[in-house]
Amino acid sequence: MAKPERTFGLIVGIEKYHESTWNVPGGGPADDALKFAHWLHRRGVPKENIRLCLSTLEENHQLIGECGLNVELATEQNICDIVTNFLSPKLGDLLYIFWAGHGLITSERERRLICADANKQNWQNVDFNSLLVLLSSDRFQIRNHICIIDACANYVLELKGRPTNLGGKTFLSGQPRRDSQQFVLLATREGEKAEVNSEAKTGYFSQAVREALAEANGTFPPNMKVIAEAVKQRFTSFNKKQLPTYFYYRNWNGDIEKYHFNPFDIPHNIQHSQARKFVGRDDQIEQLRQLLQENDVVVITDVTGQGGVGKTELAIQYSWQFLEDYPGGCCWLNPQGTNLITQLVDFAILNLRDFSIPYGLSRPNRLNYCWRNWESDQVLLVFDDVKDWMQIQACLPPRDSHFKVLITTRQNTGLIYPSLELGALSPDAALELLTNLLGKDWVEKELEFAKKLCEFVGYIPVGIYLIAAQCRELGGESC
């Protein structure tokens, strides 16, 4: 346990850069940092223990005057001076580091955090990996660290304008401390971008962290494993499955690293959701999970036989939500595309470690080789929009293996597999979907007309999307 008076914080929020084209439109990182600093102070951490480094857009500059905390420049030199000259000699229980702003991954797989004084000629940055090593060495007196990083981890290559020698501040460390404890929570996996909610002016990740901390019942310091799980759950409610939520956990032993809550390390080619809002199918998602736990093959069918009920979308949502159940991978297959065996083999070669197909095997034997040599963890195969059962029959894996199969099809007769029958949305769910598409104000103003629109399209999701598009083209007027 850490005492608040013996807790320190380095809080950084950067939305304005010397290279103005790198500015975060509308802002968000500065306010996210301020809110985290206030959270620390409300938990009893003294103001003098909190070093707050901000770089705000002009339109958000009032935040500095209103915050009641001492605000410093978020430059490379200043941030590094705080680490080496202010924090390193302090005798305390716990250090929080919160960083909101741009970041990248170098070609050497180093995570860098971009400082406010960076420009295209001099990419001022902090080597985050070396910072972690410094913190856990005998050159740093505070032995417990919690780092929360809301920053991109894009691969910015030299050919896109990044200098060959990125430079930046690399920290020198001493001997490792055996009693050092670190917990590092990152918004993104390598190669991905941390998204900002431009309307709310906050990072999706920062928002999720704040909400999770608010539910920690005032416990200080909060249990970070619990916080990490809560953040993960919140990301599913954002309906932003394309947002990479990557949780990195460095073991309390200090010299052992583990990856914790990391579904995005699982090989997959899951389709991106086309839905702005996924509503009215929570029960079906749970039914689908239950069916796949009990059966090798499950089919999502269309009871209307007309299409547009959301079979593919349901499969997408299920695959994203329960990707962790399939550590062997999720392979999405298109029966209308390239030969299915070729699709399977290509996925295995591209995504599985040390996997290669012996030369000269026939196509059926290549498939059998996949079944025998795929990693032994559970795998999900999705055959989307099957129009002819004969197309996929020869491509199904052996029964009672570590493969699960999910099929979507309009066909709902002559099935030999357990199925989940999908039809129209409930009237309430259909209205909720329309509300998300056209806005709450419009639906409340035209409530009865909106209900009739949903009824007119039979409460079918694709019909609601089409009718909403028509209304938007008419400027939201009654159509």
Side-chain angles (χ1 to χ4, degrees):
M1 298 299 293
K3 296 180 179 179
E5 62 271 18
R6 288 175 54 83
T7 296
F8 292 82
L10 170 58
I11 316 300
V12 180
I14 305 173
E15 58 194 27
K16 180 182 178 182
Y17 293 83
H18 186 274
E19 186 66 48
S20 60
T21 58
W22 296 352
N23 291 351
V24 179
D31 196 31
D32 287 335
L34 273 170
K35 287 175 178 174
F36 191 86
H38 282 300
W39 175 81
L40 273 183
H41 185 51
R42 289 196 301 271
R43 294 299 177 274
V45 179
K47 288 185 178 181
E48 58 269 22
N49 287 11
I50 300 173
R51 301 297 294 267
L52 179 60
C53 300
L54 299 181
S55 179
T56 63
L57 297 175
E58 297 300 327
E59 60 262 38
N60 298 327
H61 200 65
Q62 78 283 354
L63 295 172
I64 293 178
E66 298 169 355
C67 73
L69 296 169
N70 182 42
V71 176
E72 305 173 65
L73 297 175
T75 61
E76 178 190 284
Q77 184 61 53
N78 193 48
I79 292 169
C80 294
D81 282 347
I82 291 172
V83 172
T84 55
N85 299 324
F86 175 74
L87 290 172
S88 288
K90 293 294 183 184
L91 297 175
D93 296 334
L94 175 63
L95 169 66
Y96 277 95
I97 294 179
F98 177 91
W99 190 297
H102 290 320
L104 59 84
I105 293 288
T106 71
S107 56
E108 297 81 25
R109 306 286 295 278
E110 298 166 342
R111 188 177 286 260
R112 301 294 185 92
L113 304 175
I114 308 300
C115 301
D117 49 338
N119 58 60
K120 290 182 179 179
Q121 286 70 47
N122 191 342
W123 289 49
Q124 304 278 21
N125 67 88
V126 169
D127 184 335
F128 182 63
N129 302 63
S130 72
L131 175 58
L132 289 177
V133 174
L134 166 65
L135 298 182
S136 59
S137 77
D138 59 5
R139 294 173 66 99
F140 205 86
Q141 299 306 308
I142 305 171
R143 68 182 183 90
N144 302 313
H145 325 115
I146 295 175
C147 302
I148 300 172
I149 309 298
D150 192 354
C152 299
N154 307 57
Y155 294 111
V156 183
L157 304 177
E158 288 83 349
L159 56 84
K160 293 186 177 180
R162 200 203 81 184
T164 302
N165 180 12
L166 190 59
K169 175 62 179 179
T170 300
F171 295 92
L172 299 176
S173 68
Q175 295 295 317
R177 290 182 58 148
R178 298 183 63 85
D179 60 350
S180 178
Q181 304 180 88
Q182 291 181 332
F183 196 103
V184 184
L185 188 55
L186 304 173
T188 57
R189 67 168 180 167
E190 290 186 8
E192 300 289 357
K193 181 181 179 182
E195 298 285 353
V196 175
N197 183 338
S198 56
E199 293 183 4
K201 292 188 177 182
T202 181
Y204 283 101
F205 179 76
S206 292
Q207 176 186 346
V209 169
R210 284 197 303 274
E211 292 173 355
L213 290 173
E215 293 183 359
N217 298 321
T219 304
F220 188 88
N223 185 323
M224 288 306 296
K225 291 183 180 179
V226 174
I227 296 299
E229 174 64 16
V231 171
K232 173 192 166 188
Q233 294 300 322
R234 275 168 173 75
F235 260 76
T236 64
S237 70
F238 289 152
N239 292 292
K240 291 280 184 180
K241 303 303 185 300
Q242 75 277 13
L243 292 183
T245 318
Y246 184 56
F247 303 92
Y248 172 89
Y249 170 51
R250 176 166 289 186
N251 194 338
W252 295 119
N253 292 335
D255 58 349
I256 300 174
E257 295 182 4
K258 290 183 179 179
Y259 291 94
H260 187 61
F261 300 137
N262 179 21
F264 291 92
D265 254 6
I266 297 172
H268 70 83
N269 61 343
I270 302 171
Q271 304 299 292
H272 287 291
S273 171
Q274 300 302 311
R276 283 186 57 188
K277 181 71 175 177
F278 186 69
V279 302
R281 299 299 195 195
D282 291 343
D283 290 344
Q284 285 84 355
I285 286 278
E286 189 53 43
Q287 291 173 34
L288 190 55
R289 189 184 195 193
Q290 188 67 32
L291 283 169
L292 280 163
Q293 287 175 344
E294 299 170 354
N295 303 278
D296 291 336
V297 181
V298 174
V299 184
I300 303 175
T301 64
D302 177 358
V303 296
T304 72
Q306 299 175 359
V309 296
K311 302 181 299 299
T312 295
E313 189 61 39
L314 185 69
I316 291 172
Q317 298 290 335
Y318 170 82
S319 300
W320 276 118
Q321 289 188 35
F322 299 109
L323 182 55
E324 287 173 276
D325 292 348
Y326 304 97
C330 175
C331 178
W332 197 279
L333 299 158
N334 175 17
Q336 321 317 321
T338 309
N339 179 274
L340 285 171
I341 295 179
T342 301
Q343 291 182 50
L344 270 164
V345 170
D346 286 350
F347 179 89
I349 292 173
L350 288 171
N351 292 282
L352 305 183
R353 290 188 298 269
D354 303 321
F355 184 94
S356 61
I357 297 287
Y359 179 77
L361 289 182
S362 66
R363 188 173 284 170
N365 284 333
R366 288 161 69 88
L367 182 61
N368 290 330
Y369 185 89
C370 279
W371 302 145
R372 291 195 303 269
N373 294 278
W374 205 295
E375 294 175 0
S376 58
D377 292 318
Q378 186 156 270
V379 180
L380 178 65
L381 305 178
V382 181
F383 294 86
D384 185 33
D385 193 21
V386 173
K387 293 180 170 60
D388 182 356
W389 291 112
M390 295 303 295
Q391 278 183 294
I392 69 169
Q393 202 65 45
C395 299
L396 296 179
R399 299 193 60 157
D400 300 322
S401 63
H402 57 284
F403 291 88
K404 296 284 187 176
V405 175
L406 178 59
I407 299 168
T408 72
T409 180
R410 288 193 193 184
Q411 300 180 38
N412 56 10
T413 57
L415 293 177
I416 62 173
Y417 304 114
S419 64
L420 176 65
E421 297 180 340
L422 210 58
L425 295 170
S426 70
D428 287 343
L431 188 63
E432 181 184 352
L433 176 57
L434 188 65
T435 301
N436 278 279
L437 295 173
L438 291 179
K440 184 178 179 181
D441 292 342
W442 186 90
V443 171
E444 287 182 348
K445 180 181 177 181
E446 304 281 355
L447 182 57
E448 292 306 314
F449 180 65
K451 290 180 179 179
K452 290 179 181 178
L453 284 178
C454 294
E455 182 181 4
F456 175 73
V457 296
Y459 307 109
I460 300 296
V462 70
I464 295 171
Y465 272 92
L466 290 173
I467 208 75
Q470 292 176 14
C471 287
R472 285 196 296 269
E473 286 179 4
L474 295 172
E477 300 174 0
S478 298
C479 51

